[in-house]
Amino acid sequence: MLDANLDLEIGLGRDEPRKAVERFEQFALEHELPMGLTFKFQLALDELLTNVVSYAFEQDAAEPVITLALHLTDDRLEARLEDNGRPFNPLRDAPAPDLDLSAEDRRVGGLGIHLTKAFVHALNYERVDGWNRLYLVQPLGAHREDQT
Amino acid sequence: MNVETSYSGSTAVAVVDGRIDSANAKDFDEELSAIIDRGVSSLVVDCGGLNYISSAGLRVLLIAIRKTNEAGGGLALCSVPDHIREVLEVSGFVRLTKVFATADEARASFSK
């Protein structure tokens, strides 16, 4: 029975989300996850991490901590993303983009959370003792056909 | 990410490869802006070698779509891999820009 973990600490640099998702990609490759699923989950993690790295902390935040914990079993992939930055629930606080607007009227931005919601089976948020916690869950069965 | 561009009058084809995310979206923006600033109003972005794009990259494309529309031309995409196409569909970008199979078809769409 498969039971694999990957725990990462993420810094505040502009290229930190990329470093983290490339570690995830390697993890996914090692465990032979389907490519389509790996891409979508990677994009979701990237969007959420980019939000946290860009907006969760003041310039002079005392001790910013961002962690990502991945857990893979035979039937599901889970991620827990935690940070001790300002409260932010992307499921509620990020305005949904209006996809029917023209290029001229579309807001620049707002798409990251939209893509994340579309590409991950379940996404939950909670605020606990000064920490933002996001949980991502992806059952593996539903994506078996994506294997290429 | 790497961008290689060929020019023909006010039309250009920019072949993009690699990965566009928040770490390098600014570089991508500078590349596309430099092309448009050379007087290009019709821009084809060839995505044949593009293996990853996040919303940070989509923002850059949106800005380039606006600029080329304003200049009286537009922006078209071609050779888009399936997984990138899905990102374009989910984000509604297929309604903002046309997607062609080849660079030649995309370029021809501007001369009509």
Side-chain angles (χ1 to χ4, degrees):
Chain A
M1 159 136 181
L2 180 61
D3 186 6
N5 292 286
L6 177 67
D7 294 291
L8 301 173
E9 283 197 25
I10 289 118
L12 286 178
R14 196 175 63 148
D15 57 351
E16 289 285 325
R18 176 186 291 186
K19 281 193 218 161
V21 300
E22 284 181 344
R23 291 283 301 279
F24 161 70
E25 195 176 13
Q26 188 61 40
F27 176 79
L29 208 63
E30 281 164 18
H31 295 289
E32 298 176 337
L33 288 178
M35 280 172 65
L37 182 146
T38 300
F39 170 72
K40 288 179 184 177
F41 207 80
Q42 182 183 177
L43 187 64
L45 291 175
D46 187 3
E47 299 292 355
L48 295 172
L49 282 170
T50 297
N51 262 348
V52 173
V53 166
S54 308
Y55 307 117
F57 298 98
E58 308 284 351
Q59 287 284 9
D60 55 353
E63 283 184 55
V65 178
I66 307 168
T67 61
L68 174 63
L70 291 149
H71 184 212
L72 175 66
T73 58
D74 286 318
D75 59 357
R76 58 166 51 192
L77 171 64
E78 296 174 333
R80 189 182 70 236
L81 173 60
E82 293 185 292
D83 71 79
N84 61 351
R86 70 185 68 160
F88 180 71
N89 176 356
L91 297 170
R92 198 194 56 206
D93 303 337
D98 186 342
L99 304 183
D100 292 325
L101 294 175
S102 68
E104 283 63 37
D105 295 329
R106 284 272 294 254
R107 279 190 317 120
V108 178
L111 283 173
I113 295 302
H114 176 74
L115 285 167
T116 301
K117 285 179 184 167
F119 281 175
V120 172
H121 178 75
L123 183 61
N124 290 292
Y125 170 87
E126 61 178 359
R127 177 81 183 176
V128 181
D129 297 334
W131 291 80
N132 294 305
R133 277 193 201 145
L134 280 162
Y135 298 93
L136 291 75
V137 180
Q138 187 62 56
L140 299 182
H143 277 265
R144 290 282 188 225
E145 67 271 21
D146 280 3
Q147 189 125 32
T148 46
Chain B
M1 182 213 38
N2 191 42
V3 182
E4 288 202 15
T5 312
S6 54
Y7 297 87
S8 171
S10 62
T11 301
V13 178
V15 181
V16 184
D17 65 15
R19 184 181 179 95
I20 303 170
D21 58 17
S22 56
N24 65 359
K26 190 164 170 287
D27 303 331
F28 184 46
D29 186 36
E30 283 168 6
E31 295 272 4
L32 294 191
S33 296
I35 295 166
I36 294 164
D37 288 348
R38 282 179 62 158
V40 168
S41 56
S42 300
L43 177 58
V44 178
V45 178
D46 185 327
C47 302
L50 186 65
N51 52 41
Y52 186 94
I53 189 163
S54 74
S55 65
L58 294 179
R59 276 196 285 277
V60 174
L61 283 180
L62 179 62
I63 291 164
I65 290 168
R66 284 183 189 159
K67 283 183 183 169
T68 50
N69 282 351
E70 272 170 32
L75 184 145
L77 302 173
C78 72
S79 316
V80 181
D82 287 348
H83 65 294
I84 303 289
R85 193 183 168 97
E86 196 171 350
V87 174
L88 297 174
E89 281 169 5
V90 170
S91 59
F93 269 58
V94 287
R95 277 175 252 170
L96 302 180
T97 180
K98 285 190 177 157
V99 182
F100 295 90
T102 65
D104 283 344
E105 286 175 39
R107 210 169 24 212
S109 73
F110 289 121
S111 51
K112 279 171 190 162

